[in-house]
Amino acid sequence: DTGVSQNPRHKITKRGQNVTFRCDPISEHNRLYWYRQTLGQGPEFLTYFQNEAQLEKSRLLSDRFSAERPKGSFSTLEIQRTEQGDSAMYLCASSLETGGLVEQYFGPGTRLTVT
Amino acid sequence: AQSVTQPDIHITVSEGASLELRCNYSYGATPYLFWYVQSPGQGLQLLLKYFSGDTLVQGIKGFEAEFKRSQSSFNLRKPSVHWSDAAEYFCAVKNTGFQKLVFGTGTRLLVSP
């Protein structure tokens, strides 16, 4: 168990460019979550998957954002036509649904800077 | 809607002194409650969680938290702080039936020698 990994760790892009982040959850975890954390704030929920199905999306997830988890393993988060307001830390978490109170395990995050 | 308030943005504690970080939540029923710690360059690490049962819960690294329904609070405590405890601490709540965590704005802990 190597934990949740995220790539890249840092991304600098120019406004208007598209970016894609990857999250590899803990193996066999069936749930995967994306959060966004801006400076001085706590993480805010964006979306989550159970296996390959995207089951919940926040209103924060505008049309420029899309997330996928094609085979129920790793996930990608794409932001199209980036804006300066997209600058944030993007956190991924995973959990194993067991019917009880499950813990979400977080990755180190991808820090996005839009110039 | 759920919300979490952490009224202290920064707290400075001397090494060896006791610590209490405040957390208040707004939610109709008994929520799932969590405390996470975030160190620079690290992901969020779960310190402890509460759903039901004993209102005093023990966590990792010597932390504990007490759920007080009457005050809608879930304060984090540690009897003796170590320099390595310097980090940002987040309280979070989860609604029954939903999967997302709702976080507070965090409290940054500074430990002075």
Side-chain angles (χ1 to χ4, degrees):
Chain A
D1 178 0
T2 57
V4 178
S5 61
Q6 294 187 245
N7 288 288
R9 295 290 305 275
H10 303 274
K11 178 71 178 177
I12 300 174
T13 191
K14 292 184 178 179
R15 187 177 54 188
Q17 298 295 305
N18 299 343
V19 294
T20 299
F21 310 140
R22 176 177 170 127
C23 171
D24 287 90
I26 294 172
S27 61
E28 300 183 356
H29 275 193
N30 55 355
R31 286 189 175 161
L32 187 147
Y33 313 78
W34 285 99
Y35 291 81
R36 182 176 71 183
Q37 184 178 19
T38 54
L39 200 60
Q41 300 297 317
E44 296 174 289
F45 172 80
L46 293 178
T47 187
Y48 99 93
F49 293 82
Q50 176 142 333
N51 300 313
E52 64 275 10
Q54 189 173 17
L55 297 186
E56 188 176 347
K57 294 199 297 185
S58 161
R59 285 173 290 182
L60 291 175
L61 213 64
S62 76
D63 291 344
R64 297 184 297 105
F65 288 69
S66 62
E68 295 182 342
R69 194 182 184 199
K71 297 182 180 179
S73 57
F74 73 92
S75 175
T76 58
L77 177 68
E78 181 184 16
I79 309 175
Q80 297 182 325
R81 305 181 303 281
T82 52
E83 301 173 356
Q84 287 188 323
D86 297 331
S87 295
M89 177 77 84
Y90 290 84
L91 296 167
C92 176
S94 70
S95 68
L96 177 63
E97 169 58 30
T98 60
L101 177 53
V102 298
E103 174 181 347
Q104 294 183 21
Y105 293 83
F106 283 80
T110 294
R111 181 170 295 284
L112 172 66
T113 302
V114 182
T115 62
Chain B
Q2 306 167 77
S3 67
V4 178
T5 301
Q6 294 182 248
D8 303 307
I9 299 174
H10 297 100
I11 281 187
T12 300
V13 175
S14 298
E15 190 167 15
S18 63
L19 168 70
E20 182 168 22
L21 302 182
R22 296 183 289 166
C23 173
N24 293 94
Y25 65 91
S26 172
Y27 182 58
T30 300
Y32 298 107
L33 294 161
F34 306 81
W35 274 100
Y36 282 85
V37 61
Q38 186 177 38
S39 299
Q42 304 293 316
L44 291 158
Q45 182 182 21
L46 181 69
L47 290 174
L48 45 79
K49 59 190 177 187
Y50 172 80
F51 170 53
S52 64
D54 192 346
T55 56
L56 183 64
V57 293
Q58 302 297 320
I60 63 171
K61 303 184 179 185
F63 286 93
E64 66 178 26
E66 186 172 12
F67 170 63
K68 292 186 177 180
R69 183 191 302 275
S70 61
Q71 298 177 19
S72 297
S73 69
F74 188 57
N75 294 349
L76 182 72
R77 301 194 294 247
K78 186 170 185 178
S80 178
V81 168
H82 187 262
W83 64 267
S84 61
D85 293 324
E88 186 132 28
Y89 291 79
F90 292 94
C91 182
V93 62
K94 177 182 170 304
N95 184 348
T96 305
F98 293 88
Q99 301 309 316
K100 69 178 184 181
L101 294 172
V102 176
F103 287 86
T105 52
T107 297
R108 181 166 295 280
L109 173 65
L110 305 172
V111 180
S112 61

mmCIF file of all heavy atoms in Angstrom, chain A residues 9 31 33 35 37 40-45 48 56 91 97 101-104 106-108, chain B residues 32 34 36 38 41-44 46 49-51 90 94 98-101 103-106:
data_model
loop_
_atom_site.group_PDB
_atom_site.id
_atom_site.type_symbol
_atom_site.label_atom_id
_atom_site.label_comp_id
_atom_site.label_asym_id
_atom_site.label_seq_id
_atom_site.Cartn_x
_atom_site.Cartn_y
_atom_site.Cartn_z
ATOM 1 N N ARG A 9 2.828 17.095 -9.311
ATOM 2 C CA ARG A 9 2.687 17.736 -8.014
ATOM 3 C C ARG A 9 2.493 19.240 -8.170
ATOM 4 O O ARG A 9 1.823 19.874 -7.357
ATOM 5 C CB ARG A 9 3.911 17.462 -7.150
ATOM 6 C CG ARG A 9 4.085 15.995 -6.775
ATOM 7 C CD ARG A 9 2.998 15.531 -5.785
ATOM 8 N NE ARG A 9 2.972 16.371 -4.611
ATOM 9 C CZ ARG A 9 3.758 16.192 -3.559
ATOM 10 N NH1 ARG A 9 4.634 15.197 -3.544
ATOM 11 N NH2 ARG A 9 3.669 17.001 -2.522
ATOM 12 N N ARG A 31 -13.924 3.889 -3.980
ATOM 13 C CA ARG A 31 -14.408 5.269 -4.053
ATOM 14 C C ARG A 31 -13.229 6.225 -4.226
ATOM 15 O O ARG A 31 -12.169 6.040 -3.607
ATOM 16 C CB ARG A 31 -15.196 5.643 -2.805
ATOM 17 C CG ARG A 31 -16.567 4.992 -2.783
ATOM 18 C CD ARG A 31 -17.435 5.512 -1.683
ATOM 19 N NE ARG A 31 -18.775 4.942 -1.797
ATOM 20 C CZ ARG A 31 -19.652 4.916 -0.810
ATOM 21 N NH1 ARG A 31 -19.332 5.438 0.360
ATOM 22 N NH2 ARG A 31 -20.839 4.388 -0.987
ATOM 23 N N TYR A 33 -12.400 10.540 -4.693
ATOM 24 C CA TYR A 33 -12.953 11.881 -4.498
ATOM 25 C C TYR A 33 -11.961 12.916 -5.021
ATOM 26 O O TYR A 33 -10.750 12.754 -4.891
ATOM 27 C CB TYR A 33 -13.182 12.161 -3.012
ATOM 28 C CG TYR A 33 -13.882 11.063 -2.245
ATOM 29 C CD1 TYR A 33 -13.190 9.930 -1.834
ATOM 30 C CD2 TYR A 33 -15.226 11.166 -1.901
ATOM 31 C CE1 TYR A 33 -13.806 8.922 -1.122
ATOM 32 C CE2 TYR A 33 -15.854 10.174 -1.180
ATOM 33 C CZ TYR A 33 -15.135 9.052 -0.792
ATOM 34 O OH TYR A 33 -15.763 8.061 -0.082
ATOM 35 N N TYR A 35 -11.185 17.111 -4.438
ATOM 36 C CA TYR A 35 -11.442 18.325 -3.680
ATOM 37 C C TYR A 35 -10.538 19.434 -4.224
ATOM 38 O O TYR A 35 -9.487 19.175 -4.794
ATOM 39 C CB TYR A 35 -11.113 18.140 -2.195
ATOM 40 C CG TYR A 35 -12.028 17.207 -1.437
ATOM 41 C CD1 TYR A 35 -11.867 15.830 -1.498
ATOM 42 C CD2 TYR A 35 -13.056 17.716 -0.635
ATOM 43 C CE1 TYR A 35 -12.696 14.979 -0.793
ATOM 44 C CE2 TYR A 35 -13.886 16.872 0.085
ATOM 45 C CZ TYR A 35 -13.706 15.505 0.003
ATOM 46 O OH TYR A 35 -14.533 14.665 0.715
ATOM 47 N N GLN A 37 -8.618 23.081 -2.892
ATOM 48 C CA GLN A 37 -8.268 23.875 -1.720
ATOM 49 C C GLN A 37 -7.571 25.143 -2.166
ATOM 50 O O GLN A 37 -6.494 25.090 -2.764
ATOM 51 C CB GLN A 37 -7.359 23.071 -0.781
ATOM 52 C CG GLN A 37 -7.029 23.784 0.514
ATOM 53 C CD GLN A 37 -6.165 22.939 1.439
ATOM 54 O OE1 GLN A 37 -5.525 21.985 1.022
ATOM 55 N NE2 GLN A 37 -6.159 23.283 2.719
ATOM 56 N N GLY A 40 -5.728 29.574 2.324
ATOM 57 C CA GLY A 40 -6.427 30.022 3.516
ATOM 58 C C GLY A 40 -7.788 29.387 3.733
ATOM 59 O O GLY A 40 -8.526 29.791 4.631
ATOM 60 N N GLN A 41 -8.107 28.398 2.904
ATOM 61 C CA GLN A 41 -9.401 27.735 3.026
ATOM 62 C C GLN A 41 -9.230 26.247 3.248
ATOM 63 O O GLN A 41 -8.170 25.681 2.980
ATOM 64 C CB GLN A 41 -10.230 27.961 1.753
ATOM 65 C CG GLN A 41 -10.512 29.413 1.444
ATOM 66 C CD GLN A 41 -11.350 30.080 2.507
ATOM 67 O OE1 GLN A 41 -12.332 29.510 2.998
ATOM 68 N NE2 GLN A 41 -10.971 31.289 2.897
ATOM 69 N N GLY A 42 -10.276 25.618 3.710
ATOM 70 C CA GLY A 42 -10.275 24.171 3.777
ATOM 71 C C GLY A 42 -10.628 23.577 2.434
ATOM 72 O O GLY A 42 -11.133 24.277 1.545
ATOM 73 N N PRO A 43 -10.369 22.301 2.248
ATOM 74 C CA PRO A 43 -10.740 21.658 0.983
ATOM 75 C C PRO A 43 -12.241 21.732 0.740
ATOM 76 O O PRO A 43 -13.037 21.651 1.678
ATOM 77 C CB PRO A 43 -10.288 20.201 1.198
ATOM 78 C CG PRO A 43 -9.242 20.278 2.255
ATOM 79 C CD PRO A 43 -9.669 21.391 3.156
ATOM 80 N N GLU A 44 -12.605 21.892 -0.541
ATOM 81 C CA GLU A 44 -14.014 21.911 -0.944
ATOM 82 C C GLU A 44 -14.251 20.760 -1.911
ATOM 83 O O GLU A 44 -13.499 20.550 -2.856
ATOM 84 C CB GLU A 44 -14.349 23.231 -1.636
ATOM 85 C CG GLU A 44 -14.226 24.456 -0.746
ATOM 86 C CD GLU A 44 -14.420 25.732 -1.542
ATOM 87 O OE1 GLU A 44 -13.520 26.060 -2.339
ATOM 88 O OE2 GLU A 44 -15.465 26.376 -1.389
ATOM 89 N N PHE A 45 -15.327 20.056 -1.670
ATOM 90 C CA PHE A 45 -15.664 18.886 -2.468
ATOM 91 C C PHE A 45 -15.994 19.269 -3.901
ATOM 92 O O PHE A 45 -16.709 20.247 -4.156
ATOM 93 C CB PHE A 45 -16.869 18.196 -1.822
ATOM 94 C CG PHE A 45 -17.454 17.076 -2.627
ATOM 95 C CD1 PHE A 45 -16.870 15.819 -2.619
ATOM 96 C CD2 PHE A 45 -18.589 17.279 -3.392
ATOM 97 C CE1 PHE A 45 -17.414 14.785 -3.357
ATOM 98 C CE2 PHE A 45 -19.148 16.247 -4.132
ATOM 99 C CZ PHE A 45 -18.559 14.994 -4.111
ATOM 100 N N TYR A 48 -17.231 12.818 -6.759
ATOM 101 C CA TYR A 48 -16.716 11.524 -6.336
ATOM 102 C C TYR A 48 -17.239 10.415 -7.235
ATOM 103 O O TYR A 48 -18.280 10.546 -7.889
ATOM 104 C CB TYR A 48 -17.014 11.250 -4.856
ATOM 105 C CG TYR A 48 -18.204 10.372 -4.541
ATOM 106 C CD1 TYR A 48 -18.052 9.000 -4.362
ATOM 107 C CD2 TYR A 48 -19.466 10.927 -4.381
ATOM 108 C CE1 TYR A 48 -19.134 8.204 -4.041
ATOM 109 C CE2 TYR A 48 -20.555 10.129 -4.059
ATOM 110 C CZ TYR A 48 -20.385 8.773 -3.885
ATOM 111 O OH TYR A 48 -21.463 7.981 -3.576
ATOM 112 N N GLU A 56 -21.679 12.004 -7.703
ATOM 113 C CA GLU A 56 -22.047 13.289 -7.126
ATOM 114 C C GLU A 56 -21.097 14.347 -7.655
ATOM 115 O O GLU A 56 -19.895 14.112 -7.776
ATOM 116 C CB GLU A 56 -21.960 13.231 -5.600
ATOM 117 C CG GLU A 56 -22.524 14.466 -4.896
ATOM 118 C CD GLU A 56 -22.516 14.342 -3.387
ATOM 119 O OE1 GLU A 56 -22.314 13.233 -2.859
ATOM 120 O OE2 GLU A 56 -22.704 15.383 -2.712
ATOM 121 N N LEU A 91 -6.887 18.181 -4.599
ATOM 122 C CA LEU A 91 -6.640 17.014 -3.760
ATOM 123 C C LEU A 91 -7.502 15.845 -4.209
ATOM 124 O O LEU A 91 -8.673 16.013 -4.539
ATOM 125 C CB LEU A 91 -6.963 17.330 -2.298
ATOM 126 C CG LEU A 91 -6.113 18.408 -1.625
ATOM 127 C CD1 LEU A 91 -6.749 18.827 -0.309
ATOM 128 C CD2 LEU A 91 -4.710 17.892 -1.395
ATOM 129 N N GLU A 97 -15.435 1.288 0.478
ATOM 130 C CA GLU A 97 -16.786 1.221 1.028
ATOM 131 C C GLU A 97 -16.995 -0.117 1.714
ATOM 132 O O GLU A 97 -16.897 -1.167 1.088
ATOM 133 C CB GLU A 97 -17.816 1.400 -0.089
ATOM 134 C CG GLU A 97 -19.239 1.081 0.334
ATOM 135 C CD GLU A 97 -19.713 1.922 1.515
ATOM 136 O OE1 GLU A 97 -19.251 3.061 1.651
ATOM 137 O OE2 GLU A 97 -20.537 1.430 2.294
ATOM 138 N N LEU A 101 -18.386 3.563 8.800
ATOM 139 C CA LEU A 101 -17.822 4.910 8.689
ATOM 140 C C LEU A 101 -16.452 4.789 8.041
ATOM 141 O O LEU A 101 -15.489 4.381 8.682
ATOM 142 C CB LEU A 101 -17.706 5.551 10.065
ATOM 143 C CG LEU A 101 -17.051 6.945 10.101
ATOM 144 C CD1 LEU A 101 -17.734 7.884 9.132
ATOM 145 C CD2 LEU A 101 -17.076 7.497 11.507
ATOM 146 N N VAL A 102 -16.383 5.125 6.773
ATOM 147 C CA VAL A 102 -15.146 4.910 6.035
ATOM 148 C C VAL A 102 -14.271 6.152 6.093
ATOM 149 O O VAL A 102 -14.759 7.279 6.110
ATOM 150 C CB VAL A 102 -15.426 4.528 4.569
ATOM 151 C CG1 VAL A 102 -16.185 3.224 4.510
ATOM 152 C CG2 VAL A 102 -16.175 5.618 3.850
ATOM 153 N N GLU A 103 -12.974 5.914 6.095
ATOM 154 C CA GLU A 103 -12.005 6.997 6.122
ATOM 155 C C GLU A 103 -11.580 7.326 4.709
ATOM 156 O O GLU A 103 -11.346 6.420 3.910
ATOM 157 C CB GLU A 103 -10.788 6.582 6.929
ATOM 158 C CG GLU A 103 -9.645 7.585 6.904
ATOM 159 C CD GLU A 103 -8.449 7.129 7.702
ATOM 160 O OE1 GLU A 103 -8.582 6.157 8.463
ATOM 161 O OE2 GLU A 103 -7.381 7.744 7.546
ATOM 162 N N GLN A 104 -11.490 8.608 4.406
ATOM 163 C CA GLN A 104 -10.953 9.042 3.130
ATOM 164 C C GLN A 104 -9.459 9.293 3.307
ATOM 165 O O GLN A 104 -9.051 10.065 4.181
ATOM 166 C CB GLN A 104 -11.666 10.312 2.647
ATOM 167 C CG GLN A 104 -13.135 10.074 2.330
ATOM 168 C CD GLN A 104 -13.848 11.297 1.788
ATOM 169 O OE1 GLN A 104 -13.221 12.220 1.280
ATOM 170 N NE2 GLN A 104 -15.170 11.299 1.896
ATOM 171 N N PHE A 106 -6.101 10.824 1.754
ATOM 172 C CA PHE A 106 -5.784 11.889 0.815
ATOM 173 C C PHE A 106 -4.393 11.743 0.213
ATOM 174 O O PHE A 106 -3.454 11.293 0.884
ATOM 175 C CB PHE A 106 -5.884 13.253 1.505
ATOM 176 C CG PHE A 106 -7.292 13.731 1.698
ATOM 177 C CD1 PHE A 106 -8.068 13.264 2.748
ATOM 178 C CD2 PHE A 106 -7.857 14.627 0.804
ATOM 179 C CE1 PHE A 106 -9.380 13.694 2.923
ATOM 180 C CE2 PHE A 106 -9.165 15.069 0.961
ATOM 181 C CZ PHE A 106 -9.918 14.601 2.026
ATOM 182 N N GLY A 107 -4.281 12.183 -1.029
ATOM 183 C CA GLY A 107 -2.992 12.297 -1.679
ATOM 184 C C GLY A 107 -2.350 13.634 -1.360
ATOM 185 O O GLY A 107 -2.954 14.476 -0.690
ATOM 186 N N PRO A 108 -1.114 13.861 -1.865
ATOM 187 C CA PRO A 108 -0.383 15.093 -1.557
ATOM 188 C C PRO A 108 -0.892 16.312 -2.311
ATOM 189 O O PRO A 108 -0.539 17.438 -1.963
ATOM 190 C CB PRO A 108 1.051 14.769 -1.967
ATOM 191 C CG PRO A 108 0.888 13.747 -3.037
ATOM 192 C CD PRO A 108 -0.311 12.934 -2.656
ATOM 193 N N TYR B 32 -21.159 12.737 11.255
ATOM 194 C CA TYR B 32 -19.834 12.141 11.375
ATOM 195 C C TYR B 32 -18.850 13.304 11.491
ATOM 196 O O TYR B 32 -18.910 14.241 10.698
ATOM 197 C CB TYR B 32 -19.476 11.331 10.130
ATOM 198 C CG TYR B 32 -20.374 10.159 9.834
ATOM 199 C CD1 TYR B 32 -21.282 10.213 8.779
ATOM 200 C CD2 TYR B 32 -20.296 8.984 10.566
ATOM 201 C CE1 TYR B 32 -22.095 9.136 8.476
ATOM 202 C CE2 TYR B 32 -21.102 7.904 10.273
ATOM 203 C CZ TYR B 32 -22.005 7.981 9.233
ATOM 204 O OH TYR B 32 -22.810 6.912 8.936
ATOM 205 N N PHE B 34 -14.709 14.670 12.025
ATOM 206 C CA PHE B 34 -13.326 14.291 11.780
ATOM 207 C C PHE B 34 -12.398 15.447 12.121
ATOM 208 O O PHE B 34 -12.768 16.613 11.996
ATOM 209 C CB PHE B 34 -13.104 13.953 10.292
ATOM 210 C CG PHE B 34 -14.034 12.918 9.728
ATOM 211 C CD1 PHE B 34 -15.308 13.262 9.317
ATOM 212 C CD2 PHE B 34 -13.617 11.611 9.574
ATOM 213 C CE1 PHE B 34 -16.173 12.307 8.776
ATOM 214 C CE2 PHE B 34 -14.457 10.651 9.032
ATOM 215 C CZ PHE B 34 -15.737 11.007 8.641
ATOM 216 N N TYR B 36 -8.466 16.395 10.748
ATOM 217 C CA TYR B 36 -7.337 16.082 9.877
ATOM 218 C C TYR B 36 -6.206 17.060 10.158
ATOM 219 O O TYR B 36 -6.439 18.201 10.552
ATOM 220 C CB TYR B 36 -7.720 16.235 8.398
ATOM 221 C CG TYR B 36 -8.524 15.095 7.807
ATOM 222 C CD1 TYR B 36 -9.904 15.048 7.935
ATOM 223 C CD2 TYR B 36 -7.898 14.075 7.095
ATOM 224 C CE1 TYR B 36 -10.633 14.012 7.371
ATOM 225 C CE2 TYR B 36 -8.619 13.039 6.530
ATOM 226 C CZ TYR B 36 -9.988 13.018 6.673
ATOM 227 O OH TYR B 36 -10.710 11.991 6.115
ATOM 228 N N GLN B 38 -2.655 18.710 8.254
ATOM 229 C CA GLN B 38 -1.970 18.894 6.966
ATOM 230 C C GLN B 38 -0.643 19.599 7.205
ATOM 231 O O GLN B 38 -0.601 20.735 7.658
ATOM 232 C CB GLN B 38 -2.843 19.720 6.011
ATOM 233 C CG GLN B 38 -2.293 19.838 4.605
ATOM 234 C CD GLN B 38 -3.239 20.610 3.681
ATOM 235 O OE1 GLN B 38 -3.867 21.586 4.090
ATOM 236 N NE2 GLN B 38 -3.372 20.166 2.447
ATOM 237 N N GLY B 41 3.407 20.357 2.051
ATOM 238 C CA GLY B 41 3.806 19.356 1.068
ATOM 239 C C GLY B 41 3.230 17.978 1.295
ATOM 240 O O GLY B 41 3.520 17.045 0.544
ATOM 241 N N GLN B 42 2.401 17.852 2.306
ATOM 242 C CA GLN B 42 1.812 16.552 2.631
ATOM 243 C C GLN B 42 0.319 16.584 2.402
ATOM 244 O O GLN B 42 -0.315 17.639 2.412
ATOM 245 C CB GLN B 42 2.086 16.190 4.097
ATOM 246 C CG GLN B 42 3.546 16.198 4.486
ATOM 247 C CD GLN B 42 4.315 15.114 3.793
ATOM 248 O OE1 GLN B 42 3.877 13.975 3.699
ATOM 249 N NE2 GLN B 42 5.483 15.452 3.284
ATOM 250 N N GLY B 43 -0.246 15.421 2.230
ATOM 251 C CA GLY B 43 -1.693 15.326 2.140
ATOM 252 C C GLY B 43 -2.323 15.419 3.519
ATOM 253 O O GLY B 43 -1.642 15.504 4.539
ATOM 254 N N LEU B 44 -3.620 15.417 3.543
ATOM 255 C CA LEU B 44 -4.344 15.437 4.805
ATOM 256 C C LEU B 44 -4.263 14.072 5.472
ATOM 257 O O LEU B 44 -4.494 13.045 4.833
ATOM 258 C CB LEU B 44 -5.815 15.791 4.549
ATOM 259 C CG LEU B 44 -6.079 17.223 4.087
ATOM 260 C CD1 LEU B 44 -7.402 17.313 3.365
ATOM 261 C CD2 LEU B 44 -6.063 18.152 5.279
ATOM 262 N N LEU B 46 -5.730 11.756 8.686
ATOM 263 C CA LEU B 46 -6.791 11.680 9.671
ATOM 264 C C LEU B 46 -6.211 11.479 11.065
ATOM 265 O O LEU B 46 -5.420 10.568 11.288
ATOM 266 C CB LEU B 46 -7.736 10.529 9.342
ATOM 267 C CG LEU B 46 -8.909 10.345 10.300
ATOM 268 C CD1 LEU B 46 -9.892 11.503 10.151
ATOM 269 C CD2 LEU B 46 -9.621 9.018 10.034
ATOM 270 N N LYS B 49 -11.855 10.335 14.452
ATOM 271 C CA LYS B 49 -13.203 10.466 13.894
ATOM 272 C C LYS B 49 -14.217 10.076 14.956
ATOM 273 O O LYS B 49 -13.916 9.314 15.886
ATOM 274 C CB LYS B 49 -13.356 9.580 12.658
ATOM 275 C CG LYS B 49 -13.121 8.106 12.930
ATOM 276 C CD LYS B 49 -13.033 7.312 11.638
ATOM 277 C CE LYS B 49 -12.723 5.846 11.938
ATOM 278 N NZ LYS B 49 -12.456 5.069 10.709
ATOM 279 N N TYR B 50 -15.442 10.591 14.791
ATOM 280 C CA TYR B 50 -16.524 10.285 15.711
ATOM 281 C C TYR B 50 -17.809 10.097 14.931
ATOM 282 O O TYR B 50 -18.152 10.874 14.039
ATOM 283 C CB TYR B 50 -16.713 11.414 16.724
ATOM 284 C CG TYR B 50 -17.945 11.217 17.573
ATOM 285 C CD1 TYR B 50 -17.934 10.345 18.648
ATOM 286 C CD2 TYR B 50 -19.140 11.864 17.264
ATOM 287 C CE1 TYR B 50 -19.065 10.125 19.413
ATOM 288 C CE2 TYR B 50 -20.272 11.657 18.019
ATOM 289 C CZ TYR B 50 -20.232 10.782 19.081
ATOM 290 O OH TYR B 50 -21.372 10.561 19.816
ATOM 291 N N PHE B 51 -18.541 9.054 15.317
ATOM 292 C CA PHE B 51 -19.887 8.882 14.783
ATOM 293 C C PHE B 51 -20.894 8.689 15.901
ATOM 294 O O PHE B 51 -21.945 9.310 15.943
ATOM 295 C CB PHE B 51 -19.947 7.704 13.817
ATOM 296 C CG PHE B 51 -21.345 7.340 13.426
ATOM 297 C CD1 PHE B 51 -22.217 8.292 12.911
ATOM 298 C CD2 PHE B 51 -21.824 6.049 13.580
ATOM 299 C CE1 PHE B 51 -23.523 7.976 12.559
ATOM 300 C CE2 PHE B 51 -23.117 5.720 13.216
ATOM 301 C CZ PHE B 51 -23.964 6.680 12.713
ATOM 302 N N PHE B 90 -7.594 20.716 10.379
ATOM 303 C CA PHE B 90 -8.919 20.919 9.799
ATOM 304 C C PHE B 90 -9.945 20.028 10.483
ATOM 305 O O PHE B 90 -9.723 18.828 10.633
ATOM 306 C CB PHE B 90 -8.921 20.591 8.301
ATOM 307 C CG PHE B 90 -8.121 21.551 7.465
ATOM 308 C CD1 PHE B 90 -6.801 21.282 7.148
ATOM 309 C CD2 PHE B 90 -8.695 22.729 7.000
ATOM 310 C CE1 PHE B 90 -6.062 22.163 6.377
ATOM 311 C CE2 PHE B 90 -7.968 23.615 6.227
ATOM 312 C CZ PHE B 90 -6.653 23.335 5.920
ATOM 313 N N LYS B 94 -19.390 15.119 7.979
ATOM 314 C CA LYS B 94 -19.983 14.365 6.871
ATOM 315 C C LYS B 94 -21.432 14.084 7.204
ATOM 316 O O LYS B 94 -21.764 13.655 8.300
ATOM 317 C CB LYS B 94 -19.220 13.060 6.653
ATOM 318 C CG LYS B 94 -19.775 12.166 5.574
ATOM 319 C CD LYS B 94 -18.970 10.888 5.483
ATOM 320 C CE LYS B 94 -19.612 9.847 4.578
ATOM 321 N NZ LYS B 94 -20.976 9.485 4.931
ATOM 322 N N PHE B 98 -24.503 10.931 2.475
ATOM 323 C CA PHE B 98 -23.686 11.596 1.465
ATOM 324 C C PHE B 98 -22.221 11.262 1.717
ATOM 325 O O PHE B 98 -21.842 10.882 2.817
ATOM 326 C CB PHE B 98 -23.900 13.109 1.497
ATOM 327 C CG PHE B 98 -25.274 13.521 1.066
ATOM 328 C CD1 PHE B 98 -26.310 13.591 1.974
ATOM 329 C CD2 PHE B 98 -25.540 13.826 -0.262
ATOM 330 C CE1 PHE B 98 -27.588 13.949 1.574
ATOM 331 C CE2 PHE B 98 -26.806 14.191 -0.666
ATOM 332 C CZ PHE B 98 -27.837 14.250 0.256
ATOM 333 N N GLN B 99 -21.412 11.437 0.695
ATOM 334 C CA GLN B 99 -20.028 11.018 0.803
ATOM 335 C C GLN B 99 -19.051 12.170 1.006
ATOM 336 O O GLN B 99 -17.936 11.957 1.436
ATOM 337 C CB GLN B 99 -19.626 10.223 -0.446
ATOM 338 C CG GLN B 99 -20.475 8.995 -0.660
ATOM 339 C CD GLN B 99 -20.559 8.127 0.580
ATOM 340 O OE1 GLN B 99 -19.554 7.893 1.249
ATOM 341 N NE2 GLN B 99 -21.756 7.668 0.910
ATOM 342 N N LYS B 100 -19.461 13.389 0.691
ATOM 343 C CA LYS B 100 -18.497 14.473 0.751
ATOM 344 C C LYS B 100 -18.228 14.897 2.183
ATOM 345 O O LYS B 100 -19.088 14.828 3.054
ATOM 346 C CB LYS B 100 -18.997 15.678 -0.048
ATOM 347 C CG LYS B 100 -20.200 16.380 0.567
ATOM 348 C CD LYS B 100 -20.585 17.584 -0.264
ATOM 349 C CE LYS B 100 -21.725 18.348 0.393
ATOM 350 N NZ LYS B 100 -22.133 19.517 -0.429
ATOM 351 N N LEU B 101 -16.995 15.325 2.400
ATOM 352 C CA LEU B 101 -16.606 15.951 3.650
ATOM 353 C C LEU B 101 -16.736 17.464 3.486
ATOM 354 O O LEU B 101 -16.361 18.014 2.453
ATOM 355 C CB LEU B 101 -15.164 15.600 4.005
ATOM 356 C CG LEU B 101 -14.865 14.140 4.338
ATOM 357 C CD1 LEU B 101 -13.365 13.923 4.464
ATOM 358 C CD2 LEU B 101 -15.581 13.715 5.606
ATOM 359 N N PHE B 103 -15.321 20.821 5.151
ATOM 360 C CA PHE B 103 -14.211 21.220 6.007
ATOM 361 C C PHE B 103 -14.389 22.638 6.538
ATOM 362 O O PHE B 103 -14.998 23.494 5.888
ATOM 363 C CB PHE B 103 -12.894 21.179 5.214
ATOM 364 C CG PHE B 103 -12.384 19.797 4.927
ATOM 365 C CD1 PHE B 103 -12.821 19.096 3.820
ATOM 366 C CD2 PHE B 103 -11.448 19.207 5.760
ATOM 367 C CE1 PHE B 103 -12.346 17.825 3.543
ATOM 368 C CE2 PHE B 103 -10.959 17.938 5.499
ATOM 369 C CZ PHE B 103 -11.413 17.243 4.387
ATOM 370 N N GLY B 104 -13.789 22.875 7.715
ATOM 371 C CA GLY B 104 -13.634 24.233 8.187
ATOM 372 C C GLY B 104 -12.456 24.898 7.486
ATOM 373 O O GLY B 104 -11.797 24.280 6.649
ATOM 374 N N THR B 105 -12.206 26.132 7.842
ATOM 375 C CA THR B 105 -11.147 26.890 7.178
ATOM 376 C C THR B 105 -9.761 26.599 7.736
ATOM 377 O O THR B 105 -8.768 27.070 7.205
ATOM 378 C CB THR B 105 -11.410 28.398 7.259
ATOM 379 O OG1 THR B 105 -11.656 28.742 8.624
ATOM 380 C CG2 THR B 105 -12.611 28.799 6.416
ATOM 381 N N GLY B 106 -9.705 25.832 8.819
ATOM 382 C CA GLY B 106 -8.425 25.401 9.349
ATOM 383 C C GLY B 106 -7.877 26.316 10.427
ATOM 384 O O GLY B 106 -8.207 27.500 10.515
#
